[in-house]
Amino acid sequence: MLSTVTLKHIGRNNIFAKAVAATQTRSVHDLTLRRKTNQPLIKHGLGGRSTTNGQIATVFGCTGFLGRYVVNRLAKQGTQVVVAFRDPDEARHLKVTGDLGQIIPLEFDLRNRKQLTECVRHSDIVYNLIGRDYETKNFTYNDVHVEGSRALAEVCAETDVAKFIQVSALNASEDSTSQFLRTKALGEKAVREVIPDATIVRPGLMYGHEDRFLNRIGDADGWQYFANHGETKVRPVSVVDVAHALEIMLTADSAAGKTYELYGSKEYTFNQIFELAREITMQPLPFINVPDRLLKLAAAVMDKLPYNQMISPDLIERMTINDTRSPDALTFDDLYIKPADFEATAIHYLRRFRSNAVFDLPYEKGDGKIQKGVYHIID
């Protein structure tokens, strides 16, 4: 006959065994398989930068304005990110976005197929964020936006990369008067010819801490200019929201083969944006109204100067084109994302242009209410 102590010991062992069995139970629906190899994604940890979700992503153009936010969002959820760079000094700040071993820097040349293959051969998803605002003697718009995109797509197809995200631009069209926008559209076409289920993303005019939009307005000090008398209509969008959308596409298989246009919820003219900037910064912020022909002539002269990254004739042309939306393209709503309100968030980026006397004064625009988000999972 068993003693009371023995019975209690057996009871504890049974409870412990059931608890272990419950925590170790796995079912088929718990497995996430790689689309490329059909092998399960092995996750470690409870989530966050110090864990891994089993995904590997390569980000081309990671040293640009949008790239740093995309790398940060991916690394934050435990993705191992290959950051492809040309200059190591421009990519070193990305190391701290992930834990040890999560950020893998690899040097590449857009014309070197061997280096491109090395950057993508282990990846489950590849983001192409490469773009040029101006041409140089080494790279034209066509070299970067068309031939470069085609080369990346071909390498990804050869190495069986499961997902390819091509970041283009809002207003991209083969009939555009802007060479930048025209080559962006041709780049989309080149990618789709190689990878038909590639995802195309067309962000609008993005703003953020390192942008060339609000910083250019706030730091102009009377030397600012805009074409088309400031009447061009745009839909500014937060770079954080665009990076969030690209992060969702990491696991959203339904985004394959789709085209997304990501823009702000409200339309503004540049004159209205300047007026808003004046209210926020409490500075006069005058800008020079220069005829378009004279601007293009000055831009053509400055474009011949070495190391000019400020103005080009094509930039002036883009400043005269209104933002237009494609009726068949998906938007933030299809990703369950509500873009930030430009008027309510511009203070975060323009406050630093205030004088010391008014730096801490509040600024409220709109309803001023904090809206709670809703958690969605997109398959």
Side-chain angles (χ1 to χ4, degrees), residues 180-358:
F180 173 90
L181 296 175
R182 188 165 59 251
T183 53
K184 278 291 188 180
L186 293 173
E188 295 177 11
K189 183 178 179 180
V191 167
R192 282 277 171 82
E193 289 175 353
V194 180
I195 306 177
D197 63 345
T199 302
I200 305 298
V201 179
R202 299 171 183 163
L205 181 61
M206 292 181 288
Y207 64 91
H209 285 293
E210 306 88 0
D211 66 16
R212 297 179 183 175
F213 173 41
L214 294 182
N215 284 323
R216 180 180 164 211
I217 292 175
D219 203 25
D221 195 22
W223 291 94
Q224 188 53 270
Y225 63 89
F226 271 106
N228 197 26
H229 304 285
E231 295 299 327
T232 303
K233 298 177 181 179
V234 294
R235 289 179 170 270
V237 60
S238 171
V239 67
V240 177
D241 292 331
V242 176
H244 185 197
L246 293 174
E247 176 197 12
I248 289 176
M249 294 174 189
L250 173 69
T251 56
D253 292 338
S254 60
K258 306 290 180 59
T259 298
Y260 291 85
E261 290 188 346
L262 308 179
Y263 44 79
S265 57
K266 189 176 179 180
E267 187 177 73
Y268 302 87
T269 64
F270 281 116
N271 284 329
Q272 292 173 331
I273 293 174
F274 255 89
E275 187 60 34
L276 177 67
R278 293 187 188 103
E279 293 178 10
I280 295 176
T281 61
M282 301 182 182
Q283 301 284 353
L285 296 181
F287 73 92
I288 305 171
N289 191 5
V290 183
D292 294 351
R293 290 186 179 181
L294 186 58
L295 269 178
K296 290 182 179 180
L297 178 61
V301 174
M302 293 187 64
D303 197 40
K304 304 299 181 183
L305 300 177
Y307 306 108
N308 170 48
Q309 300 180 8
M310 297 172 57
I311 185 174
S312 68
D314 194 81
L315 174 62
I316 303 301
E317 182 64 31
R318 296 200 300 274
M319 292 170 65
T320 64
I321 300 176
N322 295 326
D323 281 354
T324 55
R325 296 168 288 178
S326 302
D328 55 342
L330 304 180
T331 63
F332 278 118
D333 292 339
D334 299 283
L335 298 171
Y336 300 102
I337 298 175
K338 184 175 181 180
D341 182 60
F342 177 65
E343 295 182 5
T345 56
I347 180 66
H348 302 306
Y349 313 107
L350 289 172
R351 183 188 293 273
R352 71 186 187 92
F353 298 106
R354 288 181 171 184
S355 66
N356 293 337
V358 296

